[in-house]
Amino acid sequence: MDENNDATETNSEAAVLGGLPLEPDSSMQEYYQLQNELLLLSISLMVVGFVSVWMAYSLTTALNYLIGACSGVVYLKLLARSVEKLGRSASKVSKNQLALFIGVIVVASQLDQLQIVPVFLGFLTYKAALIAYMFKALSTT
Amino acid sequence: MDPLVASASVIAASLAVGLAAIGPGIGQGNASGKAVEGIARQPEAEGKIRGTLLLTLAFMESLTIYGLVISLVLLFANPLA
């Protein structure tokens, strides 16, 4: 324990002496920006998907899609939070976000008003947002 | 439900979750470990490393989710029943 404290002090001193910017908040700004971008992209894709499904199928199917898409956005937020905690207060990535997904699919399979396929495809909206973000990032570099 | 179909579905569901979790589990462990190592080496790049890790984990975890969907459908909305 003492060795760890000594090592931390030595590192921070070296960083100060070397002039390295040791401001975790400023370096995390990029991460928070990424989170916001992904959230906005997911929500915009969710709205586009909801309207498209409503036009192509029915309001019931579109609402099913919306439930899945909302749970996907919450899932992404939970994953981002667990990645943020990694290395600080947690030593591994939490699996709590999977419980949300399991709950949504189980409820969709038990209730007659809900269908599994639109809910699952709605849940995958977050992945479409990730792919869109990756393409955007690749096109800018 | 036919007992044979029921038992086969339960075995298939367990195999789907178990097998689908092996690859992403190893991958996530490796990625998280390397990311933490990278943050320890370069604290000034923490935001960038965590962002890349988030994207990687989201892609990897969706592979687990595919297996999970198959098993949940087999258990709760079995089309073969």
Side-chain angles (χ1 to χ4, degrees), chain A residues 19-70:
Chain A
L20 289 173
L22 260 187
E23 296 171 1
D25 288 337
S26 69
S27 73
M28 285 297 281
Q29 285 304 318
E30 201 171 344
Y31 180 64
Y32 297 133
Q33 195 183 341
L34 170 73
Q35 272 190 45
N36 286 335
E37 270 185 55
L38 285 177
L39 201 67
L40 283 176
L41 209 52
S42 302
I43 290 172
S44 46
L45 279 176
M46 182 172 81
V47 171
V48 170
F50 174 71
V51 174
S52 314
V53 174
W54 191 359
M55 295 295 166
Y57 296 96
S58 64
L59 180 62
T60 314
T61 314
L63 287 174
N64 279 312
Y65 173 85
L66 192 66
I67 290 172
C70 286

Side-chain angles (χ1 to χ4, degrees), chain A residues 74-89:
Chain A
V74 176
Y75 166 85
L76 192 59
K77 193 74 186 160
L78 287 174
L79 183 66
R81 192 177 294 173
S82 86
V83 167
E84 195 180 336
K85 283 182 185 168
L86 184 70
R88 293 177 175 172
S89 56

Side-chain angles (χ1 to χ4, degrees), chain A residues 4 9 17 34 49-51 60 63 75 79 90 92 96 111 115 136 139:
Chain A
N4 286 340
E9 283 173 16
L17 289 174
L34 170 73
F50 174 71
V51 174
T60 314
L63 287 174
Y75 166 85
L79 183 66
K92 58 182 181 181
N96 291 338
L111 291 180
Q115 298 160 331
K136 198 177 123 192
S139 63

